[in-house]
Amino acid sequence: MIEFERLHHISLAVRDLKQAKQFYGSTLGFQELVRPPFDSEGAWYAIGDSQQLHLLEFPDGETLRKSEINSIDGHFAIWVKSYQNTIQSLEAAAIPYEARPDSLAGFSQIYILDPDHNIIEFDAAYGS
């Protein structure tokens, strides 16, 4: 039997690494990590204490969506400390979002798209 400890990382293909780094690093404020010297272009970011987001430049890559948020499509989710602060940060950065403050999931949800239309979900406790 496999004994799971934690999710280590999520990898996303991005068409334009410079644009993706601007979005994830500068706009969203993810902390960039040192990436091993692979033969491909990419960037690694810390998510929390031990999880990571790996961006891999793949100019011919495509997501399944055009520019629509659908929560049953592939996505990754990050738990945030404050629903309201996250909304304020997204609005300050002019990032369109779909808010579900009273989600049936049992917590509040916010969905956004990155420049390559990958869906990102931010989750927080109700009323935070």
Side-chain angles (χ1 to χ4, degrees), residues 58-72:
F58 185 52
D60 297 329
E62 292 188 41
T63 63
L64 298 175
R65 70 206 62 81
K66 298 295 183 200
S67 61
E68 179 181 306
I69 294 172
N70 185 331
S71 62
I72 61 171

Side-chain angles (χ1 to χ4, degrees), residues 42-93:
W44 287 6
Y45 292 93
I47 301 176
D49 293 332
S50 61
Q51 293 82 31
Q52 299 175 6
L53 170 65
H54 295 179
L55 302 179
L56 306 171
E57 190 169 57
F58 185 52
D60 297 329
E62 292 188 41
T63 63
L64 298 175
R65 70 206 62 81
K66 298 295 183 200
S67 61
E68 179 181 306
I69 294 172
N70 185 331
S71 62
I72 61 171
D73 200 349
H75 63 278
F76 70 96
I78 299 171
W79 192 266
V80 296
K81 290 182 181 180
S82 170
Y83 177 82
Q84 291 302 324
N85 288 350
T86 302
I87 292 283
Q88 291 172 357
S89 295
L90 295 172
E91 289 176 351

